[in-house]
Amino acid sequence: MKKWVAFLLACAMILSAAVALAEPTGTVMLYSSLKEKQLVAVKEAFEAKYPGIVMDYYQAGTGKIKTKIATEQQAGQVAADLLWVGDASDYLTFKEQGILEAYVSPEAEKVPADYKDADDLYCGARLVVMGMAYNTQNVTEEEAPKHWKDLLNDTFQNQIIMTDPTESGTTAYLVGALVNNENYGWDFFEKLAAMGTELDSGTSGTHNNVASGGYKVCIAVDYVTQTLESQGSPIKFVYPAEDTIAISSPIALVKGCANPDNGKLLYDFILSEEGQTVLMNADCTPIRDGVAKEGSLSASEIAAIALKPDEAKLAQEKQDTLDHFDRLFK
């Protein structure tokens, strides 16, 4: 009997050891331009799911991260396992540099095709959606703009504010996307300047100016507007009926990275329902269908009304576009 008990205990120990060995361990390094609080939220949730893995991250603006990557690439090894910066145009550069590793995450099937690379080298992991916002005390729902050109209505003369595109990458993307569309072009921005449109150096300032009643409307970011609204501010976001600006912020594995298996686990987690919910609660717009804030459109609904610019062209012409914008507005 004692031998039998000892045998069972030995089997249990072997099984326990096998389970322990099967659990992922080690580290994973993420380079990201997300806000610190958003990265902390992802780190805490990921490490709770995989207690054997430590998730490290380097947080900085997209420009600084691209410089860091270039320096490390020259030294022979990019220290990141996963990249999460900027917009898709940045990843076109990474593709040309050959630093991305193809990966098809099982979670990516819930991400609309518009936000995935055809070669599986990157996949959108969140959305930044740009439309318009208005002060609900100064503008009725009927008066509120429904299309971009509604901003040119007389009722909004000297009552429009937008973030300076030289200070905001998302606004720079919007300007480039509309300028390169035949329905808008520079003619739209010339008229917008003639409306007395003001510029603010920061996204928060732009939205707070409308929330406080300083201006009636602004070119807005969805989650910034919705956060203010949830806090009781009289501001409401409007998705343009067509040509909404939806900027996907992709993730990608680094080719030859030190921790590819853990990198894939983090990639999967970010795209999973759990990960997207964590991001949503940290003021990100989810890119996965099935996860959306109350009153917001789903990722597929946004994709259906979103403008689809040539992102490579936007990146190539960015500085010329900003210079032209400055001549109009400053």
Side-chain angles (χ1 to χ4, degrees):
M1 182 66 178
K2 289 182 179 180
K3 290 183 178 180
W4 179 247
V5 172
F7 174 74
L8 291 176
L9 287 173
C11 289
M13 291 176 65
I14 292 171
L15 181 61
S16 177
V19 171
L21 287 172
E23 290 179 353
T25 59
T27 63
V28 63
M29 171 59 82
L30 170 67
Y31 285 4
S32 180
S33 58
L34 268 69
K35 295 178 181 177
E36 187 82 20
K37 75 168 188 175
Q38 294 163 342
L39 292 172
V40 169
V42 171
K43 174 181 170 66
E44 291 177 348
F46 179 75
E47 291 182 346
K49 186 176 182 69
Y50 298 104
I53 302 177
V54 175
M55 180 190 138
D56 294 321
Y57 63 82
Y58 171 76
Q59 190 277 335
T62 297
K64 288 184 178 180
I65 291 178
K66 291 173 74 173
T67 299
K68 181 176 176 65
I69 290 170
T71 301
E72 291 178 346
Q73 190 179 19
Q74 287 181 349
Q77 177 65 57
V78 177
D81 299 303
L82 201 68
L83 303 179
W84 194 1
V85 299
D87 59 65
S89 65
D90 296 306
Y91 287 75
L92 296 175
T93 302
F94 295 148
K95 283 182 69 170
E96 292 174 358
Q97 295 171 339
I99 65 173
L100 304 183
E101 185 73 54
Y103 176 57
V104 181
S105 169
E107 301 291 347
E109 66 179 27
K110 294 292 186 179
V111 177
D114 287 350
Y115 307 128
K116 292 185 281 192
D117 176 50
D119 299 318
D120 300 317
L121 289 169
Y122 59 86
C123 178
R126 67 167 181 145
L127 286 172
V128 178
V129 183
M130 300 193 72
M132 298 161 288
Y134 65 96
N135 184 293
T136 57
Q137 293 178 339
N138 296 333
V139 179
T140 66
E141 188 172 350
E142 291 71 27
E143 292 173 328
K146 310 298 190 300
H147 307 264
W148 290 115
K149 290 183 179 179
D150 289 347
L151 291 172
L152 306 178
N153 293 343
D154 290 343
T155 187
F156 299 128
Q157 183 73 42
N158 299 317
Q159 289 294 321
I160 308 168
I161 189 168
M162 66 181 290
T163 309
D164 188 339
T166 64
E167 303 288 342
S168 166
T170 53
T171 308
Y173 183 102
L174 175 142
V175 173
L178 294 182
V179 162
N180 279 280
N181 185 280
E182 61 181 7
N183 293 323
Y184 306 97
W186 282 115
D187 179 68
F188 171 73
F189 286 98
E190 288 168 4
K191 291 176 180 176
L192 200 62
M195 291 290 294
T197 299
E198 293 288 340
L199 303 180
D200 194 285
S201 61
T203 302
S204 295
T206 296
H207 293 71
N208 285 329
N209 266 299
V210 172
S212 66
Y215 295 83
K216 289 183 177 181
V217 294
C218 68
I219 292 176
V221 177
D222 59 346
Y223 71 86
V224 179
T225 308
Q226 290 157 356
T227 298
L228 286 171
E229 185 180 9
S230 69
Q231 294 169 351
S233 294
I235 189 170
K236 189 171 182 62
F237 185 77
V238 177
Y239 296 96
E242 68 277 316
D243 300 333
T244 291
I245 303 299
I247 307 167
S248 70
S249 178
I251 51 176
L253 281 175
V254 175
K255 193 170 187 177
C257 63
N259 306 288
D261 290 339
N262 290 347
K264 290 175 183 178
L265 286 177
L266 180 55
Y267 195 121
D268 295 344
F269 177 77
I270 290 169
L271 297 183
S272 71
E273 183 175 353
E274 180 182 359
Q276 291 285 295
T277 301
V278 168
L279 288 165
M280 179 181 68
N281 292 334
D283 295 331
C284 283
T285 299
I287 202 165
R288 177 190 174 105
D289 280 330
V291 183
K293 287 185 178 180
E294 184 178 352
S296 299
L297 299 182
S298 70
S300 285
E301 289 172 328
I302 292 169
I305 59 172
L307 194 62
K308 298 173 178 61
D310 181 339
E311 291 176 329
K313 186 178 181 183
L314 296 193
Q316 183 180 4
E317 297 178 352
K318 182 176 180 179
Q319 192 56 54
D320 289 341
T321 300
L322 293 177
D323 290 343
H324 192 150
F325 184 92
D326 276 355
R327 289 194 294 271
L328 286 178
F329 285 82
K330 297 177 184 178

